[in-house]
Structure formats: structure tokens, C-alpha cells
Amino acid sequence: MSDLFFPFRVIVLGDAAVGKSSLLRCFAEGPSGGTATPCPTVGVEFYSRTVPLPPAGKAKLQLWDTAGQERFRSITRSFYRSAAGVLLVFDLTNRASFERVPEWYREAAGEGPPAFVLVGHKCDLAAERAVSAEEAGQLAATLGMAFVETSARSNLNVELAFQTLAGGIQRALGRGGLAPHRGGSKKNNTPSQERF
């Protein structure tokens, strides 16, 4: 029996400078991709990686890195409607970025992506932490999503964050909560032919 192949569009949201690009590069290119200091994202950048999707499938995560600056928000919003999942990222050393998470969530949830994961990034900077794991976990529970602490610099839980999101997308697919235009069709070991 052939593996089932699912292409899923994922967007990464959060304030500027919380480490969205570092997380994506670490996940898509390996640990060395997360240690370089990236330039601020202008508009949207694209990455891709295939991950296993138990019990017998694979997911090609088509990863959209969005700019956090206000002047790019109109560009970013156009990607919400086609997303199957959202990583909501904040900086554990920057309380303001955490306090804006509900605003980011409301903005994206209005367009209906079925799966969200809250990511507290830069957990390696323990001495500078401004948000506790308990507080972040409570917010995630309130918003109905999982919470993962990560560090691209130390390659901590980066895989876990994306695998958790892929699992959430798979559950949404199973209960019929994923529209076909979000990449929910089954394919047999062939890449997606969709245009982006």
C-alpha cells in the first residue's frame, strides 16, 4: 500500500524580531540554518519540507514566513485564507510580543485556518525570560492550541513544534475541517502540482 501524501500550507505569524525566520530555517535547512542572524523578512518568504505523518502518510509542509512589521500586514493577511495551519510565535524575552498573541490569533482565526500552535521562542535565553511557561501554557489553553517552547539557536523543540502542528492539521483533516484549497487532497507519493 502506497504512502498517502498531503501538501499543507503553513504560515508563521508573530511580531517582528521574535525569530520566525530562524525557526523556519532551522526546521527547513537543519540546525545551522537557525544560528545565522537573518535580515528582517520583507513581505513573505517560502520554505518547504516533508515530514512523516503517522501511521502511513507524509506531509509536505509549505512554509510561509511572514513579515511582522505593520506595513506588511495587508500582504500577510492574504495568506490566511489558504493556510491549513499557523505557528503563532512570540519571544520569551519580550513580553510585548506575548501580549500581542491574542491579536494575531483573532486576525488569523477570522479566516479559518483549522490548526494553531503557540510557540515561545528563544527559550535558551533563560536569564532574560519575561514570560513563564505556565502563563504561556494558560494562554494557549484559552485559545485552544498546544504550546511549545523552542530555540533555533540551540535546536530545541523546533521539530516538535512543526510536528505538533502537522498532527493538528491531520486531526482537522480527519474530522472534515480542512477545505480542499488548503491542500487536503490525498496523493500517492507525488509532489503537489498546485501553484503558489
Side-chain angles (χ1 to χ4, degrees), residues 1-6 56-59 186-189:
M1 182 176 166
S2 298
D3 284 351
L4 299 176
F5 186 89
F6 303 92
K58 294 179 181 178
K186 296 179 181 178
K187 299 180 186 288
N188 291 321
N189 293 326

Side-chain angles (χ1 to χ4, degrees), residues 22-36 49 152 155 158-159:
S22 295
L23 268 178
L24 275 172
R25 287 182 182 144
C26 183
F27 178 68
E29 301 171 4
S32 61
T35 56
R49 188 178 144 192
N155 193 26
V158 175
E159 293 277 334

Side-chain angles (χ1 to χ4, degrees), residues 83-146:
V86 176
L87 276 189
L88 264 176
V89 184
F90 72 94
D91 179 348
L92 285 160
T93 71
N94 178 345
R95 184 155 189 91
S97 71
F98 172 71
E99 291 172 348
R100 278 191 286 272
V101 164
E103 177 186 337
W104 283 107
Y105 174 74
R106 283 191 300 272
E107 190 171 290
E111 300 294 346
F116 285 82
V117 171
L118 181 63
V119 175
H121 192 221
K122 306 183 186 179
C123 67
D124 57 304
L125 302 176
E128 300 171 45
R129 179 186 279 266
V131 180
S132 71
E134 293 75 18
E135 188 177 11
Q138 286 174 356
L139 176 60
T142 300
L143 298 176
M145 65 183 76

Side-chain angles (χ1 to χ4, degrees), residues 64-85:
W64 299 90
D65 181 13
T66 63
Q69 296 99 325
E70 183 65 38
R71 68 182 184 275
F72 295 117
R73 292 287 273 274
S74 61
I75 299 172
T76 300
R77 285 188 190 103
S78 68
F79 285 85
Y80 297 164
R81 286 182 292 279
S82 64

Side-chain angles (χ1 to χ4, degrees), residues 7-13 44 46 60-66 75-88 104 107-117 165 168-170 172-173 177-184 194 196:
F8 293 134
R9 300 177 202 174
V10 170
I11 57 175
V12 183
L13 296 178
V44 177
F46 175 79
K60 181 179 182 181
L61 300 183
Q62 298 157 342
L63 306 158
W64 299 90
D65 181 13
T66 63
I75 299 172
T76 300
R77 285 188 190 103
S78 68
F79 285 85
Y80 297 164
R81 286 182 292 279
S82 64
V86 176
L87 276 189
L88 264 176
W104 283 107
E107 190 171 290
E111 300 294 346
F116 285 82
V117 171
L165 185 61
I169 294 170
Q170 184 182 33
L173 183 66
L178 193 58
H181 75 279
R182 296 179 192 274
E194 296 176 52
F196 302 98

